[in-house]
Amino acid sequence: MKLFGPATGVGSLPGGDAREAAKTVTGSFEDFPYLAELPARGPGADMIGRTTGMLVDLYAHVEPSGWRISDRPGRDTKRARSWLGEDLDALEEFTQGYEGPLKVQAVGPWTLAAALELRGGEAALGDAGARRDLAGSLAEGLRAHLADVARRVPGTDLVLQLDEPSLIAVLRGQIRTASGYRTHRAVDRQVVESALRDVMAVHDGPVVVHSCAPDVPFALLRRAGAAGVSFDFSLLTERDEEAIGEAVEGGTKLFAGVVPSTDTALSDPGGSVMGVRTLWRRLGLNPGTLAESVVVTPTCGLAGASPGYARAALAHCSRAARSLADNPE
């Protein structure tokens, strides 16, 4: 059983046609497709809205300030669930007979707590009880979601990706309060790690954590149980190198975001992974392990790209991964 393919996408795509998105993804990544997100459709199709639609016994609706917890499922929850169902129908159609890794994404507990407002308007992040309830609800929702995908695409090996773009800000106390004048207190690293571990535990397959922010906490994510870490390769600094070397030697898969996620001229595929090869040499790692240690991805979701560029970027990821496998040196 192969846990991962050589290349995949991060999550979002431009446009609003679920069938077109599923066709693009399965055509681009024959070895590692994923369930695309189409936030251009509006609230409920966005990353936070989609994940709130998965929650169990917790609901949310849209306010001018963002998503807020509700007493009961309303129009926004129903819309989020309906769009997810549409996306799953399309994926099911285009993965008939597919066997291999398949990735699904959801927002992780800390970014969700930073984004979801309690009834008074403050983020759930500031209330330890609310955070626990949210993480528990998310875990139950993900369990049901993964079971649904497994029923629809039998024979696949599911990979769960938790999107945590706000994780660093949570750890550093940089999430602003509703007034904007203060920030929520930094959350203890052990508390952060524990909640991530509990949510990851719902899946008996591999879990990847994605963050396109600088200073990704590789060691913390690995201790929490992440089998892979997805990140924007262009944001790496020398400070990250030791943690990356340890991650590779510990068997953690690197989802290296090397292809820009907004419209630009794409270099040749080999050029896109040149930085990965250089890093490998600097760390003294065996070039022969490159292809088995790295999954090539865009730097982040492609929602802000044009449809034509998004298609080109996904195809470019596959070609860059081939270059890495053929010429590791």
Side-chain angles (χ1 to χ4, degrees):
M1 179 180 83
K2 211 167 173 214
L3 294 181
F4 308 104
T8 192
V10 171
S12 63
L13 288 176
D17 186 328
R19 290 187 76 255
E20 184 60 35
K23 184 179 173 186
T24 297
V25 165
T26 53
S28 304
F29 302 117
E30 292 176 4
D31 301 319
F32 198 3
Y34 66 99
L35 178 63
E37 299 158 359
L38 302 172
R41 292 180 295 197
D46 60 297
M47 189 169 80
I48 299 295
R50 168 173 283 208
T51 302
T52 62
M54 296 179 192
L55 297 176
V56 173
D57 296 332
L58 269 180
Y59 313 102
H61 66 277
V62 179
E63 291 278 339
S65 52
W67 284 89
R68 185 171 294 183
I69 288 174
S70 312
D71 294 324
R72 59 185 65 84
R75 186 181 56 207
D76 296 325
T77 297
K78 290 180 181 129
R79 192 188 296 125
R81 290 175 177 172
S82 170
W83 274 328
L84 177 58
E86 200 177 288
D87 294 338
L88 284 166
D89 288 344
L91 183 73
E92 187 177 351
E93 178 186 345
F94 285 95
T95 50
Q96 293 294 312
Y98 173 72
E99 292 183 356
L102 169 69
K103 184 166 70 72
V104 296
Q105 306 83 223
V107 176
W110 294 105
T111 296
L112 198 59
L116 257 188
E117 298 173 359
L118 301 175
R119 289 175 186 84
E122 284 294 355
L125 182 66
D127 182 323
R131 293 192 319 237
R132 277 194 299 274
D133 290 347
L134 197 53
S137 174
L138 174 64
E140 286 306 307
L142 286 174
R143 191 176 275 119
H145 176 55
L146 290 162
D148 183 25
V149 180
R151 272 194 306 274
R152 288 167 174 270
V153 194
T156 193
D157 301 311
L158 285 178
V159 176
L160 172 62
Q161 175 180 305
L162 295 176
D163 290 318
E164 283 284 14
S166 301
L167 184 61
I168 309 304
V170 166
L171 287 165
R172 291 183 176 167
Q174 294 170 338
I175 301 292
R176 295 208 164 275
T177 56
S179 69
Y181 296 124
R182 293 186 304 109
T183 55
H184 288 280
R185 186 178 298 153
V187 182
D188 181 86
R189 293 179 83 84
Q190 284 182 311
V191 174
V192 168
E193 186 182 319
S194 173
L196 282 167
R197 186 182 295 111
D198 289 349
V199 172
M200 289 186 203
V202 305
H203 184 39
D204 55 11
V207 180
V208 176
V209 178
H210 169 72
S211 175
C212 46
D215 300 325
V216 174
F218 287 92
L220 183 153
L221 296 175
R222 290 176 58 225
R223 285 196 306 270
V229 181
S230 169
F231 57 97
D232 180 341
F233 192 85
S234 70
L235 298 179
L236 290 183
T237 66
E238 280 183 34
R239 282 200 313 271
D240 298 309
E241 291 188 3
E242 188 181 338
I244 285 182
E246 288 172 1
V248 170
E249 286 172 348
T252 305
K253 201 80 163 185
L254 302 182
F255 283 60
V258 296
V259 178
S261 54
T262 50
D263 292 42
T264 188
L266 291 167
S267 69
D268 68 289
S272 292
V273 287
M274 186 68 74
V276 182
R277 291 193 188 99
T278 304
L279 174 64
W280 234 246
R281 276 199 298 275
R282 255 202 326 270
L283 292 174
L285 295 166
N286 175 5
T289 66
L290 248 179
E292 67 196 46
S293 299
V294 173
V295 177
V296 176
T297 75
T299 54
C300 206
L302 291 159
S306 67
Y309 177 79
R311 285 192 295 273
L314 297 184
H316 194 83
C317 287
S318 287
R319 287 198 292 272
R322 240 185 336 268
S323 164
L324 207 53
D326 294 345
N327 307 298
E329 304 278 359

